[in-house]
Amino acid sequence: MKNIEVSEYGVTPEGIVVKKFTVTNKNGMQLEVINYGGIITSLTAPDRNGQYKDVVLGFTKPEDYFTGNSYFLGAIVGRFANRIAGGKFSIEGKTYELETNNSPNHLHGGNEGFSNKIWEIEAVPNSQTIKLSYTSKDREEGYPGELKVTVLYTLTDDDALEISYEATTDKPTIVNLSQHSYFNLSGDFTELITGHELQLYADYFIPTDNTMIPTGELKNVEGTPFDFRIPKLIGKDIEIDDEQLKFGSGYDHCWVPNGKGLRSIAEVYHAETERMMEVLTDQPGVQLYCGNFLDGKYETKTGGRNERRTGLCLETQHFPDAPNQSHFPSVMLIPGEKYQSKTIYKFSVK
């Protein structure tokens, strides 16, 4: 297929060969995806000189992905993106217990969640689309029901990455899928993202307790460091004396984007390169995470280390702990219904 190339990426400790698919659009923009975790290992975007450069954090060695990707770098996260309080939830009066891998809570499907699974992978004929499929067995990581998941990555000729999710189940269960790429629009993965400008079209965010579980309130951003309705540098308020920022060690919170359906919810801008990323989604929430817990353990693709705040995530999703907070939008999926979601990351020069 002329726009999609397939190669061997690496071999897991269990001896499984992992494939890499490289998609190229008509402008020369490239997307690289492996079928381990559905991880995006590279995504290029243009700068003001028309130069395409990688803008997502990633490891330099395959084995760093295969031996416990603690940062969920570039991966599909699920069955439930974000946190579930105490690793417990109930369906029809029955309580299910999950791994508390972010003690005392459950995070991103657990240590053996979708980010660490081998997905079926194929190129969709006559397209610039990669299809990833995974069947999660009943009670995998503690979740009820056999869940069949499909994720499509499409690289469009207008320099956008479209991500479409679908899932079906044979028993009532909960589903909340997201993509966990860390963006740095400078293309230099040692540069802090505090110098990126962010606009979030959201009047409300979700405060948490000190374990990052929502209090249940939707709080107006007016007068808080969480107000990004007018574009501002991410670093402007990130260090001010604020209880919520202390809980998250910076921004690690869910915003409630205005409107419903597929709509534009955010823009990120890097002034020096003039790269712009617009985020569109049909999801009710978006988690802004500013790489507060990156610790320099791994080397970056541009030299140096993946240090604190060298990447930002905009994880489109349902609200954290939604299974335990009945006034939040439902994350229930029942047999005969289909979970569907779409998110677009669109790149341009401003």
Side-chain angles (χ1 to χ4, degrees):
M1 207 165 296
K2 65 176 183 177
N3 296 333
I4 302 178
E5 294 181 359
V6 185
S7 57
E8 182 178 318
Y9 181 73
V11 181
T12 71
E14 298 77 26
I16 299 169
V17 175
V18 174
K19 296 177 183 177
K20 181 177 80 174
F21 280 53
T22 303
V23 188
T24 306
N25 75 2
K26 70 176 185 181
N27 307 316
M29 182 179 182
Q30 285 195 328
L31 164 72
E32 294 182 359
V33 178
I34 59 174
N35 64 317
Y36 183 92
I39 290 169
I40 294 172
T41 59
S42 177
L43 178 66
T44 66
D47 67 6
R48 62 185 175 189
N49 300 315
Q51 297 298 306
Y52 283 80
K53 200 169 182 181
D54 193 3
V55 294
V56 293
L57 271 60
F59 298 133
T60 56
K61 296 179 239 166
E63 54 266 30
D64 291 339
Y65 288 111
F66 304 155
T67 53
N69 178 5
S70 57
Y71 311 118
F72 304 96
L73 217 64
I76 298 166
V77 288
R79 283 189 198 193
F80 194 91
N82 220 311
R83 294 171 177 86
I84 295 177
K88 294 180 181 178
F89 67 96
S90 297
I91 295 176
E92 297 173 348
K94 182 174 181 179
T95 298
Y96 295 92
E97 295 195 16
L98 313 172
E99 179 184 14
T100 51
N101 60 315
N102 187 238
S103 186
N105 305 313
H106 178 78
L107 176 66
H108 290 331
N111 282 327
E112 295 300 324
F114 291 175
S115 57
N116 291 309
K117 300 299 184 185
I118 299 290
W119 292 64
E120 293 293 321
I121 186 168
E122 61 183 311
V124 176
N126 305 312
S127 77
Q128 290 169 186
T129 298
I130 298 167
K131 179 181 178 182
L132 293 140
S133 306
Y134 179 70
T135 298
S136 175
K137 294 178 181 174
D138 183 26
R139 302 313 296 268
E140 182 176 281
E141 289 297 288
Y143 291 94
E146 181 181 85
L147 189 76
K148 293 184 176 180
V149 184
T150 301
V151 179
L152 300 178
Y153 290 138
T154 300
L155 189 64
T156 70
D157 282 334
D158 61 350
D159 288 352
L161 170 62
E162 297 185 356
I163 308 173
S164 300
Y165 307 84
E166 284 191 0
T168 57
T169 183
D170 64 355
K171 292 180 184 175
T173 192
I174 60 171
V175 185
N176 183 27
L177 304 178
S178 192
Q179 220 293 330
H180 208 291
S181 284
Y182 291 69
F183 296 97
N184 187 323
L185 300 186
S186 75
D188 175 358
F189 302 127
T190 63
E191 185 175 311
L192 299 182
I193 49 79
T194 46
H196 285 45
E197 190 179 273
L198 173 67
Q199 184 171 20
L200 279 169
Y201 308 119
D203 295 335
Y204 294 89
F205 80 104
I206 301 177
T208 72
D209 65 17
N210 63 356
T211 74
M212 303 307 294
I213 292 296
T215 60
E217 178 189 7
L218 304 185
K219 185 173 181 177
N220 198 297
V221 298
E222 183 80 38
T224 77
F226 294 82
D227 190 351
F228 283 93
R229 292 173 298 179
I230 295 172
K232 71 176 180 183
L233 294 179
I234 289 172
K236 182 175 185 293
D237 297 328
I238 202 168
E239 296 291 354
I240 70 172
D241 186 9
D242 177 88
E243 182 181 63
Q244 286 298 310
L245 290 175
K246 288 177 182 175
F247 288 165
S249 224
Y251 296 114
D252 188 7
H253 293 75
C254 190
W255 272 253
V256 184
N258 302 335
K260 293 183 178 178
L262 186 66
R263 72 253 187 239
S264 182
I265 64 159
E267 287 187 353
V268 184
Y269 178 63
H270 182 257
E272 190 178 334
T273 61
E274 297 181 4
R275 282 193 182 93
M276 168 83 83
M277 180 177 77
E278 181 186 10
V279 185
L280 302 93
T281 190
D282 55 14
Q283 290 293 278
V286 60
Q287 185 88 4
L288 169 64
Y289 171 56
C290 290
N292 307 319
F293 300 106
L294 294 173
D295 55 10
K297 184 177 176 183
Y298 298 96
E299 115 186 60
T300 82
K301 294 178 281 185
T302 56
R305 318 294 291 181
N306 283 318
E307 301 285 358
R308 185 173 191 241
R309 295 187 181 149
T310 53
L312 69 92
C313 303
L314 285 163
E315 307 158 46
T316 56
Q317 56 186 246
H318 271 257
F319 299 165
D321 200 38
N324 297 313
Q325 307 215 25
S326 59
H327 60 295
F328 284 177
S330 175
V331 290
M332 278 286 295
L333 181 67
I334 61 173
E337 292 187 351
K338 185 180 284 187
Y339 169 95
Q340 289 181 299
S341 168
K342 187 169 189 174
T343 292
I344 301 171
Y345 298 97
K346 191 173 190 307
F347 298 88
S348 60
V349 175
K350 181 178 174 183

